[in-house]
Amino acid sequence: MDDDVQMSSRIKNRGAKAAIALSAAASFMLCVFEPLNLYFQNRREYWYDFYTLMPVCLLMFIIFFATGALALMLLAAFVPRLYSAALTLYTALFVCLYIQGNYMAEDLPVLDGLQIDWSDYSEQSLYSIIMWTVVTIVIVAARLLLKKNNFETGVSVLSCFIMLMLLVTVVTVGIMNDGFVKRPELTATTDYEWLYSTDANYIIVVLDAVDGEEEIDVLDSHPEYKDALADFTFYDNVMCGYPYTFFAMPFLLSGEWYEYQEDYYEYKEEAYANAPIISALREEGYRLGMYDVEVPVTDERMSQYENLVEDRGSISSVVDFAKVQLRLVGFKYLPYSLKRVSQVLPWELDNLEENREDVERVTFYGNNIPFYEHCISGEIEYTEDKCFKLIHLEGAHVPLVYNADVTTSEVTSYTGNVEATNTVMAAYIEKLKESGVYDNSVIIFLSDHGFNRNVGDVPEERQHSILFVKGIGETHGEMQVDSAPISQEDFSDAYLKLLDGGSGAELFEWGEGDARERRYLFHYSEDELTLGLWEYMQSGWAGDEDTLEYTGNYILP
């Protein structure tokens, strides 16, 4: 009798150990490893740091672990047969999630807000189904073939081994990406955004992802936009340097190509802090304001921008923050047929940032609507100091939610978003005129890159950007169009000419009809720092794919 009791106790102990090990491994993978892994590899894109994220991860881990382990142990104690089936299925689920998230996640769709056509992923979906079916069959067969205690021992060993591997991996990734460093970061606020000089203003408005081809079509069909831009020169044949904001923004300021010659973030901070135009403005005593979500971080040189505040806010809702983190994890770990239920919109994490109570500020997010509404009904303040403003708005960037009236809609088009961007430009110009600071302002509207209007696989289709320029005191009567072959590489010198009082119509040495080759470095936005750069040369019109040719030069990271 005593032997039977001891044997039963040993079996239950093995069951408890298996339940604890399996629940710990699964909870660690989903609640700690993957949220940290995502953060470490993309940490400069998030407003929070490791020390903000980790407590949430631990809370999720405790809840998931306690729930899973307790449920299995209760089944082991009171319903042994059901416990055995539950442990087997839980093991299969854990292993399938592990394989899916760590070995079958290379071709994930980009979460940029655009509607995902899941029919494009039918092959990956098939592979997921096959993998989940095979793994489940193997684990169920193992349970049927092995003795109960041997199977539970195997589950314990496998769970501990995978958890140890994940722990080593995430610590290594964190160290390699400086993920454990607690550094105060800079946040762009709306402070002084609407403070303008009665002496001189220098304004650069970056309208994200406005394509030159689409802009030409919109202007042709909307004469009211041309009327608003009557004093501007529209350079309609501009080649951007890079197809995505990541490299394009510092290049726009500095004119210096990034080819992995140095740490990217050093390159970016140098561009924002000491680009020729920034240095010149600083020397002439301009107040500097940078209104951009992607602020270079922790560089003392950035303190020259008066609207930047050190440190980030806190999480406004731990529950909502945890839900978004788990959906991000689910998008990577779920089979393709279920990923659509776990999609995350780009702004969801940004909306969960709560301002610090000891800092009076409003974070600048670059959304079209608040900026537009201020143009319509907000006030402008004045100073005698000269003012520089770099304002980076979302423009026509995905997700495509705007129409020409700058209101949001679930059903819209890229054209509607470009129309909305032009409406914003027109309203901003009118606000500056009403406030009496239009004539004494250099105003530049440009896009950091174009957009693939056909949403196809041709990388070249993002190379045509826009440029509108008005110098101080410049008037035309109607919008001028200049089709000179311009590159964003030329912008740095043009900025300085405008600062010296130059006209927006006479900025470049190139004229219409000039033959010129313009450089374009293509990269894939989802992994800018690891995949490398493909060099193209444009010998014709900026938007012409037929004259945009790959040189064969692939620049390695």
Side-chain angles (χ1 to χ4, degrees):
M1 186 70 175
D2 291 340
D3 291 340
D4 291 341
V5 172
Q6 291 177 3
M7 177 62 71
S8 176
S9 177
R10 284 197 296 272
I11 291 173
K12 289 181 179 181
N13 286 338
R14 288 193 184 96
K17 289 178 181 178
I20 291 172
L22 180 58
S23 296
S27 301
F28 179 79
M29 179 177 71
L30 300 177
C31 302
V32 179
F33 167 77
E34 192 53 42
L36 290 181
N37 186 46
L38 286 171
Y39 166 73
F40 288 148
Q41 296 192 48
N42 305 279
R43 70 185 186 87
R44 293 178 185 265
E45 298 179 15
Y46 298 126
W47 58 264
Y48 50 86
D49 64 9
F50 168 80
Y51 300 95
T52 304
L53 176 62
M54 191 60 194
V56 179
C57 292
L58 290 176
L59 179 62
M60 292 191 297
F61 172 80
I62 291 170
I63 294 172
F64 272 64
F65 167 67
T67 302
L70 182 61
L72 286 175
M73 286 191 289
L74 287 174
L75 288 176
F78 298 105
V79 195
R81 291 183 179 178
L82 187 56
Y83 160 76
S84 182
L87 181 68
T88 303
L89 294 178
Y90 195 0
T91 303
L93 175 65
F94 169 58
V95 175
C96 288
L97 289 172
Y98 171 73
I99 295 172
Q100 183 76 56
N102 291 278
Y103 298 101
M104 301 178 68
E106 293 183 357
D107 297 320
L108 288 175
V110 178
L111 290 173
D112 56 9
L114 285 177
Q115 185 174 357
I116 297 172
D117 185 355
W118 289 103
S119 63
D120 293 339
Y121 298 90
S122 56
E123 184 177 344
Q124 291 91 332
S125 181
L126 176 61
Y127 292 153
S128 287
I129 293 172
I130 293 172
M131 184 274 290
W132 281 71
T133 302
V134 170
V135 169
T136 301
I137 291 173
V138 169
I139 291 177
V140 170
R143 171 63 191 92
L144 295 174
L145 295 174
L146 296 174
K147 293 182 179 179
K148 182 175 182 293
N149 58 338
N150 290 339
F151 178 77
E152 291 173 351
T153 300
V155 169
S156 298
V157 172
L158 178 65
S159 299
C160 291
F161 176 71
I162 290 178
M163 186 164 64
L164 180 60
M165 280 200 312
L166 294 176
L167 177 62
V168 172
T169 299
V170 75
V171 170
T172 302
V173 172
I175 293 172
M176 291 177 62
N177 290 278
D178 295 328
F180 299 106
V181 176
K182 184 174 178 58
R183 305 193 303 171
E185 297 191 352
L186 297 173
T187 296
T189 73
T190 58
D191 295 351
Y192 314 110
E193 181 184 3
W194 297 98
L195 178 69
Y196 286 83
S197 173
T198 55
D199 182 5
N201 299 286
Y202 198 114
I203 306 163
I204 299 176
V205 181
V206 181
L207 304 163
D208 211 303
V210 176
D211 186 80
E213 300 297 305
E214 189 70 40
E215 178 65 21
I216 292 169
D217 292 345
V218 166
L219 289 174
D220 286 343
S221 58
H222 291 274
E224 67 273 19
Y225 295 144
K226 289 184 179 181
D227 292 342
L229 294 160
D231 299 323
F232 287 76
T233 299
F234 174 34
Y235 292 92
D236 65 352
N237 185 15
V238 177
M239 278 289 296
C240 67
Y242 300 89
Y244 296 97
T245 305
F246 190 76
F247 291 136
M249 279 302 295
F251 180 67
L252 277 172
L253 279 178
S254 68
E256 297 290 331
W257 294 95
Y258 181 73
E259 302 178 54
Y260 304 105
Q261 70 273 24
E262 59 183 312
D263 177 78
Y264 166 74
Y265 297 102
E266 289 293 328
Y267 159 79
K268 181 176 181 179
E269 289 172 357
E270 178 64 19
Y272 278 72
N274 290 320
I277 184 58
I278 301 301
S279 297
L281 289 163
R282 186 171 58 237
E283 290 173 4
E284 294 200 15
Y286 276 74
R287 297 175 62 159
L288 305 180
M290 185 178 68
Y291 302 91
D292 188 352
V293 173
E294 298 181 8
V295 179
V297 296
T298 68
D299 193 297
E300 293 181 357
R301 297 172 295 181
M302 299 306 294
S303 62
Q304 65 188 309
Y305 291 98
E306 62 183 348
N307 67 304
L308 301 187
V309 176
E310 193 174 277
D311 209 354
R312 298 292 188 187
S314 57
I315 299 171
S316 60
S317 170
V318 172
V319 173
D320 291 340
F321 186 84
K323 287 180 180 178
V324 175
Q325 292 294 332
L326 291 174
R327 284 165 55 205
L328 285 170
V329 172
F331 191 76
K332 184 175 179 181
Y333 280 74
L334 289 174
Y336 272 84
S337 56
L338 297 178
K339 288 186 189 297
R340 67 190 68 195
V341 304
S342 198
Q343 291 177 230
V344 175
L345 295 172
W347 58 80
E348 290 191 60
L349 282 173
D350 289 337
N351 291 344
L352 292 170
E353 179 187 6
E354 185 174 68
N355 294 338
R356 281 171 40 194
E357 293 181 358
D358 61 325
V359 177
E360 293 184 4
R361 71 180 191 193
V362 176
T363 301
F364 178 83
Y365 289 114
N367 302 109
N368 290 336
I369 289 179
F371 188 86
Y372 175 68
E373 289 177 344
H374 197 106
C375 291
I376 298 301
S377 58
E379 298 294 329
I380 277 185
E381 298 179 345
Y382 301 93
T383 177
E384 294 181 356
D385 300 328
K386 299 176 182 178
C387 294
F388 166 76
K389 301 182 189 301
L390 172 65
I391 304 171
H392 186 176
L393 299 178
E394 60 183 321
H397 199 281
V398 293
L400 304 176
V401 296
Y402 295 106
N403 53 41
D405 297 324
V406 201
T407 56
T408 57
S409 171
E410 292 183 1
V411 180
T412 185
S413 64
Y414 180 67
T415 299
N417 283 258
V418 175
E419 290 172 342
T421 302
N422 279 265
T423 303
V424 171
M425 282 195 289
Y428 184 59
I429 290 169
E430 185 60 30
K431 172 59 67 175
L432 297 181
K433 287 181 177 179
E434 290 176 357
S435 304
V437 295
Y438 175 79
D439 290 334
N440 70 337
S441 299
V442 170
I443 306 173
I444 304 170
F445 295 111
L446 55 85
S447 61
D448 49 352
H449 53 78
F451 186 76
N452 185 342
R453 299 195 294 171
N454 299 317
V455 196
D457 298 324
V458 182
E460 306 92 271
E461 292 182 2
R462 299 179 66 92
Q463 80 279 358
H464 190 181
S465 55
I466 66 166
L467 175 64
F468 294 89
V469 186
K470 181 197 81 73
I472 287 181
E474 187 171 357
T475 58
H476 294 164
E478 64 179 20
M479 187 187 77
Q480 307 294 303
V481 178
D482 191 325
S483 298
I486 304 303
S487 167
Q488 287 182 348
E489 187 176 15
D490 308 325
F491 285 11
S492 184
D493 290 337
Y495 296 148
L496 296 175
K497 290 180 181 178
L498 287 164
L499 184 61
D500 290 337
S503 165
E506 300 173 349
L507 292 178
F508 305 102
E509 62 181 272
W510 303 95
E512 293 188 31
D514 287 350
R516 182 186 184 188
E517 285 195 330
R518 290 170 286 174
R519 193 183 195 213
Y520 172 64
L521 296 183
F522 176 77
H523 63 95
Y524 290 98
S525 63
E526 63 267 24
D527 204 351
E528 294 93 337
L529 293 177
T530 60
L531 290 180
L533 300 165
W534 287 259
E535 182 184 61
Y536 286 76
M537 296 299 291
Q538 176 62 274
S539 59
W541 176 261
D544 189 349
E545 286 83 41
D546 293 334
T547 53
L548 183 63
E549 297 184 356
Y550 177 50
T551 67
N553 182 23
Y554 174 63
I555 304 169
L556 292 170

